[in-house]
Amino acid sequence: MTGKPGRTARGGAQTSAGDLLDLVRSGRAVTRGALQQMTGLSRATVGQRLDRLFRAGWLREGANGPVDSPLGGRPAITLEFDGSHAVVLAADLDTRHARAALLTLTGEILAERSGPLVVEDGPEVVLAGLGRWFAELLTETGHAPEAVCGIGLGVPGPVNSETGRVVQPPMMSGWDGYDIRGRLSRAFTEHTGAGPVPVLVDNDANLMAYGEQRTGHPDCRAFVLVKVSTGIGAGVVVDGAIYRGVDGGAGDLGHIRVGTEALCRCGSYGCLAAVASGGAVARRLREAGVPAASGSDVRGLLAAGHPEAAALAREAGRRVGDVLATVVTLLNPGVLMIAGDLAGTPFLTGVRELLYQRALPRSTAHLDVLTARLGERAGLIGAGALVVEHLYAPERVEERLTALGV
């Protein structure tokens, strides 16, 4: 069976230089002999393709020393992805706050910063601000701007992954259809002097789910993360890949109608976010005379053990748990993770109460219901991982190696 030039398959295995790198990165084959066995390529052909990866600086001999060769003979030198040859920039936007970080290709955060950035100020202002932050992170760590291979960005709205543009976002006035990729790439160039780099944009809950699943639950085939902050959104990872739906609208839990008369920010009545989000809990606290302007204020009250905030968070959790019973029955995930401003014992207790009451026992028999492990870093780590998986996918490796002239 044959495929693209240079990618003849044996038993379904692909055999380009990019595919060899993929085998090494995934740990399925980490010696030349194992690569020969997996691909059916000759020793000379494997050597030629590995040489391109070595010259690009993407591959190196492993630090663990020789291992027994699957082809017999003397022990073989292990191979590993060299994550030090480039870095990734990532940012995670909330409605009034943002975080940015510089990461290694293996997901280690080298430096980060956070501060107020208000999405309602519009994309020009916000993306220019991120460009400044990126330049400061590079200066702080001593990395040259040319070391950046890509930028990942999470936003609080539905994103068409093909175009990188948000689609009718309820909480991002002025952003609908805006060229986020192009503007953020220009902002990076304006503030660093470096050339343009690839920019990937995705929904914030998607990236949080991707970061949490990859780092803490890599063997979970169906993973759901629900972020409850100003709004409510969910990220779904199936077989290691983000599930986005047809045009990026998957996971928009906050706008499921739950039969109330509350007015939502989207302009409709009865949305889940209008009664169970961090913003909704903050509104109810204000009505009771408790100062709370946003979900982040609610988080502070919960951390301080405020009884009324805890009671309202638990009630919100019950409303969300009622909806999640349908989600769990439909998707049958192994992990359901709660993240965001309301993620804590009161809200989680409420979710569990209704979830286990309403969902089929079979759907919850092997389900872990947890709070997020990575906290506010989840979106950054997920954004960085998205960039790396995009740039080092086998077909893209071939394009990049050719562009490098190796």
Side-chain angles (χ1 to χ4, degrees), residues 34-391:
L35 290 169
Q36 287 176 244
Q37 278 200 324
M38 288 284 290
T39 64
L41 293 174
S42 70
R43 179 179 178 180
T45 302
V46 166
Q48 290 168 358
R49 294 182 182 169
L50 290 179
D51 182 59
R52 297 178 69 199
L53 299 171
F54 277 109
R55 282 187 284 141
W58 298 354
L59 206 60
R60 65 186 176 194
E61 293 186 349
N64 295 328
V67 297
D68 290 337
S69 170
L71 301 182
R74 62 185 180 182
I77 300 296
T78 58
L79 306 170
E80 64 183 25
F81 180 62
D82 187 349
S84 66
H85 71 268
V87 289
V88 175
L89 285 163
D92 187 16
L93 289 180
D94 207 334
T95 53
R96 305 188 64 82
H97 186 268
R99 301 182 72 87
L102 183 71
L103 301 94
T104 68
L105 298 183
T106 54
E108 177 189 356
I109 292 180
L110 300 174
E112 63 183 307
R113 66 163 295 171
S114 63
L117 273 182
V118 181
V119 294
E120 289 187 353
D121 288 342
E124 287 287 336
V125 172
V126 172
L127 299 177
L130 288 180
R132 286 192 297 273
W133 287 12
F134 289 158
E136 291 166 3
L137 289 169
L138 290 166
T139 300
E140 177 185 337
T141 59
H143 282 82
E146 292 73 20
V148 176
C149 64
I151 298 171
L153 174 66
V155 298
V159 177
N160 183 322
S161 61
E162 296 297 319
T163 65
R165 298 172 188 249
V166 291
V167 182
Q168 299 177 2
M171 297 187 296
M172 300 180 71
S173 176
W175 291 70
D176 187 20
Y178 185 84
D179 181 17
I180 297 175
R181 287 178 179 173
R183 181 65 186 96
L184 188 53
S185 181
R186 291 195 302 275
F188 171 75
T189 297
E190 289 164 5
H191 290 282
T192 65
V197 296
V199 175
L200 274 68
V201 185
D202 212 324
N203 171 262
D204 55 356
N206 284 349
L207 294 180
M208 292 176 72
Y210 197 49
E212 292 279 4
Q213 188 271 338
R214 286 174 60 88
T215 58
H217 305 273
D219 297 326
C220 181
R221 295 185 59 193
F223 179 98
V224 176
L225 178 142
V226 179
K227 180 186 178 184
V228 187
S229 290
T230 303
I232 301 174
V236 180
V237 180
V238 177
D239 290 333
I242 297 171
Y243 178 76
R244 300 181 176 89
V246 174
D247 61 2
D252 205 358
L253 288 184
H255 301 288
I256 291 176
R257 306 294 172 80
V258 292
T260 75
E261 296 303 316
L263 176 63
C264 183
R265 292 182 62 166
C266 73
S268 298
Y269 289 88
C271 294
L272 179 64
V275 293
S277 64
V281 172
R283 185 188 68 248
R284 292 191 61 184
L285 285 168
R286 290 195 303 274
E287 291 169 354
V290 179
S294 64
S296 60
D297 291 335
V298 177
R299 178 174 57 187
L301 291 169
L302 292 171
H306 191 284
E308 193 156 4
L312 290 173
R314 182 168 178 171
E315 180 184 334
R318 287 172 60 84
R319 287 184 176 274
V320 173
D322 195 13
V323 171
L324 289 177
T326 300
V327 173
V328 166
T329 302
L330 178 66
L331 295 179
N332 188 211
V335 174
L336 172 62
M337 182 170 283
I338 307 299
D341 290 331
L342 297 192
T345 300
F347 186 87
L348 190 65
T349 299
V351 168
R352 285 174 168 156
E353 286 174 356
L354 264 289
L355 174 63
Y356 289 113
Q357 177 183 328
R358 300 290 172 83
L360 292 171
R362 185 187 181 284
S363 300
T364 58
H366 301 100
L367 175 68
D368 291 326
V369 183
L370 312 166
T371 53
R373 183 178 68 90
L374 298 175
E376 294 181 338
R377 289 181 160 186
L380 296 173
I381 291 172
L386 188 72
V387 171
V388 172
E389 292 306 314
H390 172 80
L391 292 178

